[in-house]
Every structure is written in structure tokens, then in C-alpha cells.
Amino acid sequence: MSYIEVSNFSKSINNKFIIQDINFKLEQGEVLVILGKSGAGKTTLLRNINLLDLPNSGRLDIDGEIVYNSNEPVISNKELQKRHKLIGLVFQSFNLFPQYTVLDNVTLALKLNNKKKIAEYRRKIKNRKEVLDFSKKLEEEVFIKASKILNDLDLGDKLNSYPYQLSWGEQQRTAIARALILNPKVLCFDEPTSALDPSLTKEVISVINELKNKKQTMIIITHEIDFAMQVADKIIVMDQGKIIEEKVNYHE
Amino acid sequence: MEFINVTLDLLMGFGKTVLIFCIVLILSLPLGLLVTFGSMSKIKILKEIVRKIVWIIRGTPLLLQVIIVYYGPGLWLNLSIRNFRFGAVIIAFVINYACYFSEIYRGGIESIAKGQYEAGYVLGLSKSETFFKIIFPQVFKRILPAISNEIITLVKDTSLARVIAMEELIQAAEEIMATNGILWPLLYTGVFYLFFSAILTKIFEKLENSLNYYK
Ligand SMILES: Nc1ncnc2c1ncn2[C@@H]1O[C@H](COP(=O)(O)OP(=O)(O)O)[C@@H](O)[C@H]1O
Ligand SMILES: [Mg+2]
């Protein structure tokens, strides 16, 4: 079995298929690029893989786990939350939280996680000081992890900046860091290079290649063929909600 | 009657005014959020009912609502509640203001892009975490000017309590007028209201500035 398997994904809205019978496989550390013109259904496919929308039919396996199966009973909200953490998404418009600094954007999810851990710990261990030490330790771990990720993404000097103070590229890298801190099994990008000047596209390519060197599995949507050729291991081309072409991209 | 005595008498009334103001705010601000959740609920019947109630409350005078809450139990339910004046004012005001606040909240919530929720969900946040950690702080910043306006209006609306002879500021002035045959204490109450609004305006200004650190 492959690391990621998308099987028979279909989604229809108002009785009209937006994506239909999508199948592909991806190995760990590979980069899949989904090509296709505007309206082909790329974003919809990605949203369904991220479980932001749930496919009407289909199955998603990641790393030997069934992440979604339309034949299974309805997933509880709690379970859905857990599964969301397996799959990272960098939105086309990033959707950074404007009221939080770069650091807080990146650490929010882990901090909320830790809150629950601390509450649990408090129930078990009544000693106040121990609970305090425990929460300090977790806080430190989060900070160290976030700093490392942000440094690697060249954002070491932006920890305390707010999103509106960042350049386009810095915002994108913040969004990447925010997703990476959860160690997602797969990181998805929706049009990471759209409407840009070429120098910014180069920057995106170098960031993606660096993630690739770290064996981060990625799924990337684009409509730019040049970009696809530079980062992809596998390429699928979509049109009218279906895969019309699938190929392996051999890098020289 | 001397200035100082009038001032002291009016201060008593003003105390009641401030008390009404504070209790109404403390109760109606969170209740308004509950009303908002109702008016945005996915359960259609709940949504319709809540929106109708809000529509009725906003479409009728607060004065009338105070009268209905005060006399209603006695008239229609044969209930006589002792010392109900204060309670009636609080109930009517809290419901009225919760409805107004709920509409402001709803406008603010609806103005936040869907992507902000989705960014929360893909990080594995729950619906309530997403709402309270991501959405509400942004809503709060956006609606603060509208909320401040409403709160300043509440300062002046407290005077409606006198329709059921509640001893608030204006009522206190009218009693002085009636027993002493002088008019100026009534005009003097304006100074108290102005003073109160001025303080609130300053506080809101500070609050708005403190939220200016992001766009
Ligand atoms: N929520 C929706 N309701 C109705 N139509 C939709 C919805 N989402 C997407 N579509 C339609 O599905 C098609 C594919 O959209 P999308 O996935 O955004 O394509 P792409 O990302 O490839 O440009 C478009 O024709 C779009 O209008
Ligand atoms: Mg798209």
C-alpha cells in the first residue's frame, strides 16, 4: 500500500459533479502537482482531501490509516479534528490570523492542545507546583519547536511581527510554518505561485525544495506548467473534475 | 433649596442610574451573544423564532417594554410581585439591549471571511476554539464602535425607568421640582449624564486604540 491513497473521490454540489472518480497514489516524501485550468476542480479536490468538505464517495488512506471512508458511519467532530491535524493546508490567500503575531499564529494550535494536556495532568496530579512545571515545560517545547521551524523558513527575525507587516513571501512562509508545526503527514498548497512576479516564484520553489529535502510529502495545486515541472515527482492534470492525464516527472 | 442639597439628592438618583446601567450591561452583553447564536443557528425553527423576537423587540419602544414587563404579570397572570420596579426595569432593559447587541454581533460575525474559520479547522481546532480564539477577537475589534454607541445610548435610556416610578436621576429631579417649585435641578441632571457619557467615551477611545496594533 502507498503512503497516500486517494480512491474514487467524488463530490457533487446541487447534483452536479465538481470532481468525479479521482484516484491517485503517492509515496512518502514525494511531491504531487495537480495541474489544470481554472474551474477544473483542483481546489475542490484539495478541500476534500483536507476534509474541509467531505466527499460524497471515496476513501482516503494515509500512512496505513483510513482517514476518510464514505462507507463508514458519520465521523464525530472530535475525530474530524484529530484527522485534520494529519493534513496541512496552505491556503491560496494564507488566511493568517491578523490579531496574532507570527509566533502566535504558528503556536496557537499546539498551545490549545497543551491546554487540554495540562487540564488532564491537573486532574491526575494534584500538586500545584508539578502542574506548573509541566505547563512550563510544554510551553518551552512549543517555543523551541516553533523557533526552529520559523528559523528554517527565514522568519527568525519576524517572530513578533503581525501579518499585515509582512511581505507576501513572509506571509506564505508563516502559513507554511503554521501547518508544519503539527507534523502533518502531507502538506497541501493551493496555487502557491499565483499572480506573482518571477522572483517570488523562485522563492516559493526554493522553499518547497527545502521541504522536499526533509522528506515532507506534498500535494501542490497550480496552473503553471513550468513551476510544476520544477517541483513535481508526479503530475496529474485535471479537467472538468476528472483526471485526464497522469505522469511521472523525472528530474534530470 | 440649596445647590449642595440638590446635588446630594440627585446623586442618590444617579447612583440608581449607574446601577441599572452596570447590571444591564453585564447581563445583556453575553446574553446578546447567545441571541446571536440562536439567530444564526442551523436549526431553522430556532433561528426563525429568535429573529422574530429580535424583530419585535427592536421594532417597539423600550418604554412600552418596560411597562409590559412591570404591569404584565399582575394584569395577565394575576401575579403580584413585591418591589418589582427594579426587577422589571432590569428584565426589560436586558432583553432589549441583548437584542440590539445581538444584531451588532451578527453583523460582525458575518463580516469575517470564511477562510478564517477554515484556517482554524485545518489546524484541528474545534468549532468553539475557532470561534473564541480566532473569530471573536476580530469581531470585537470591528464592532467596538457600534457597541460603544449603543452603550452611550443606554446611559440616556436609563431615564425611561421613571415610567414605572423607578427612582432614577430624572425622577429624583422631578421630585425636587414638585416639592420646591424650581426648574433648574431638572436641567442640572444633564450635567450628570454628560459627565457619565464623557467618561465612557474616553474609555472606549482607549479600548479602540489598544486594538489598533493590527489591521
Ligand atoms: N460551493 C460550490 N458551489 C457551487 N459550485 C462550486 C462550488 N465550489 C466549486 N464550484 C464549481 O466547481 C468548479 C471547480 O471549482 P474549483 O475547484 O474552485 O476549480 P479550480 O480550483 O480548479 O479553479 C467551478 O466551476 C466552480 O464554479
Ligand atoms: Mg482553485
Side-chain angles (χ1 to χ4, degrees):
Chain A
M1 193 165 201
S2 295
Y3 188 65
I4 295 176
E5 293 198 3
V6 169
S7 324
N8 306 312
F9 257 43
S10 293
K11 177 77 179 177
S12 55
I13 293 168
N14 303 329
N15 292 323
K16 190 176 153 275
F17 279 112
I18 310 286
I19 55 170
Q20 191 172 7
D21 209 18
I22 302 287
N23 290 279
F24 64 80
K25 292 178 183 175
L26 200 59
E27 298 307 326
Q28 185 160 20
E30 281 186 332
V31 176
L32 171 78
V33 170
I34 303 172
L35 267 171
K37 40 181 205 279
S38 180
K42 306 182 297 295
T43 297
T44 306
L45 173 58
L46 208 59
R47 291 177 58 85
N48 281 276
I49 292 171
N50 276 277
L51 307 183
L52 273 177
D53 294 329
L54 297 180
N56 303 107
S57 69
R59 177 172 157 163
L60 172 63
D61 290 84
I62 299 180
D63 200 7
E65 265 183 83
I66 304 174
V67 176
Y68 184 78
N69 183 352
S70 54
N71 295 327
E72 258 185 344
V74 183
I75 316 172
S76 71
N77 280 338
K78 220 174 187 163
E79 185 56 34
L80 198 56
Q81 261 172 264
K82 246 201 282 171
R83 296 184 193 186
H84 272 142
K85 292 192 175 125
L86 299 172
I87 312 152
L89 174 60
V90 178
F91 293 87
Q92 192 168 2
S93 50
F94 314 137
N95 299 336
L96 295 175
F97 308 131
Q99 74 268 40
Y100 293 133
T101 60
V102 167
L103 183 64
D104 290 341
N105 262 277
V106 173
T107 55
L108 179 68
L110 280 191
K111 278 185 179 161
L112 290 174
N113 245 1
N114 285 344
K115 244 189 184 168
K116 285 168 216 158
K117 278 193 204 162
I118 292 163
E120 218 168 275
Y121 193 81
R122 184 175 295 129
R123 245 174 281 130
K124 268 198 318 224
I125 289 150
K126 302 282 181 220
N127 184 324
R128 255 215 198 148
K129 187 173 173 310
E130 266 179 68
V131 174
L132 204 69
D133 287 346
F134 180 70
S135 78
K136 271 209 186 111
K137 194 190 91 197
L138 289 182
E139 198 175 324
E140 219 161 89
E141 282 171 8
V142 171
F143 179 74
I144 289 169
K145 186 169 186 190
S147 307
K148 166 131 193 8
I149 292 172
L150 286 165
N151 274 325
D152 288 352
L153 286 164
D154 254 340
L155 288 166
D157 56 345
K158 298 287 176 190
L159 300 192
N160 297 315
S161 301
Y162 288 91
Y164 81 94
Q165 297 167 315
L166 303 176
S167 71
W168 188 92
E170 289 162 349
Q171 290 185 25
Q172 184 176 53
R173 281 179 276 135
T174 303
I176 293 171
R178 185 174 69 176
L180 281 179
I181 201 159
L182 294 171
N183 302 323
K185 303 249 180 196
V186 53
L187 182 59
C188 304
F189 292 81
D190 193 352
E191 306 258 7
T193 65
S194 69
L196 295 181
D197 58 83
S199 69
L200 280 178
T201 300
K202 248 188 229 158
E203 198 185 302
V204 176
I205 291 172
S206 91
V207 170
I208 286 174
N209 279 330
E210 233 161 86
L211 293 171
K212 207 168 147 178
N213 290 338
K214 290 175 189 156
K215 292 276 169 258
Q216 175 69 53
T217 313
M218 289 178 271
I219 299 177
I220 304 171
I221 286 181
T222 185
H223 57 257
E224 292 177 49
I225 296 173
D226 287 348
F227 170 72
M229 298 307 284
Q230 290 192 60
V231 298
D233 297 307
K234 275 184 187 163
I235 296 177
I236 59 179
V237 184
M238 286 183 71
D239 191 32
Q240 300 190 7
K242 290 182 182 158
I243 295 180
I244 54 167
E245 204 183 330
E246 195 169 353
K247 58 191 168 201
V248 178
N249 187 25
Y250 298 101
H251 300 273
E252 293 81 47
Chain B
M1 202 170 166
E2 273 178 59
F3 181 73
I4 186 84
N5 293 339
V6 171
T7 305
L8 286 176
D9 272 9
L10 290 185
L11 267 178
M12 297 286 282
F14 185 59
K16 258 301 176 19
T17 293
V18 173
L19 187 65
I20 296 172
F21 173 86
C22 290
I23 295 177
V24 169
L25 260 198
I26 289 167
L27 295 177
S28 63
L29 282 169
L31 182 65
L33 195 57
L34 274 184
V35 176
T36 306
F37 291 150
S39 74
M40 295 179 79
S41 169
K42 284 206 183 90
I43 307 162
K44 225 176 166 171
I45 179 98
L46 178 67
K47 181 175 114 175
E48 288 307 317
I49 291 173
V50 172
R51 287 199 184 190
K52 272 285 176 302
I53 293 172
V54 170
W55 179 76
I56 291 168
I57 297 288
R58 299 209 326 153
T60 54
L62 175 55
L63 188 76
L64 186 61
Q65 293 160 19
V66 172
I67 292 171
I68 289 174
V69 172
Y70 183 59
Y71 294 107
L75 276 178
W76 301 310
L77 305 172
N78 261 331
L79 270 176
S80 72
I81 309 169
R82 251 187 289 163
N83 298 325
F84 187 47
R85 283 205 167 80
F86 191 71
V89 166
I90 296 297
I91 291 172
F93 272 66
V94 167
I95 293 174
N96 182 279
Y97 270 82
C99 287
Y100 274 94
F101 288 141
S102 81
E103 288 294 282
I104 297 175
Y105 292 145
R106 186 157 68 92
I109 290 170
E110 284 171 349
S111 78
I112 304 292
K114 201 175 83 192
Q116 289 290 310
Y117 291 87
E118 294 183 341
Y121 299 151
V122 294
L123 290 173
L125 270 53
S126 68
K127 287 206 163 138
S128 77
E129 284 170 336
T130 302
F131 183 78
F132 286 106
K133 290 287 172 185
I134 297 170
I135 307 302
F136 195 73
Q138 296 177 46
V139 170
F140 185 76
K141 179 182 161 89
R142 282 191 200 180
I143 64 175
L144 192 54
I147 293 277
S148 339
N149 271 337
E150 210 55 56
I151 290 177
I152 303 278
T153 305
L154 173 60
V155 172
K156 294 167 280 178
D157 272 356
T158 52
S159 63
L160 295 175
R162 96 181 205 291
V163 72
I164 55 169
M166 170 97 216
E167 276 278 351
E168 49 67 65
L169 181 53
I170 299 245
Q171 177 87 8
E174 282 183 330
E175 268 163 32
I176 300 170
M177 284 166 60
T179 46
N180 299 280
I182 45 176
L183 181 66
W184 63 268
L186 187 62
L187 304 179
Y188 185 25
T189 60
V191 175
F192 287 81
Y193 287 113
L194 268 180
F195 167 76
F196 196 10
S197 319
I199 291 177
L200 289 172
T201 307
K202 256 272 157 317
I203 292 174
F204 288 128
E205 236 169 61
K206 281 242 159 72
L207 200 54
E208 273 174 48
N209 285 336
S210 76
L211 290 176
N212 272 344
Y213 66 89
Y214 74 92
K215 291 195 176 106

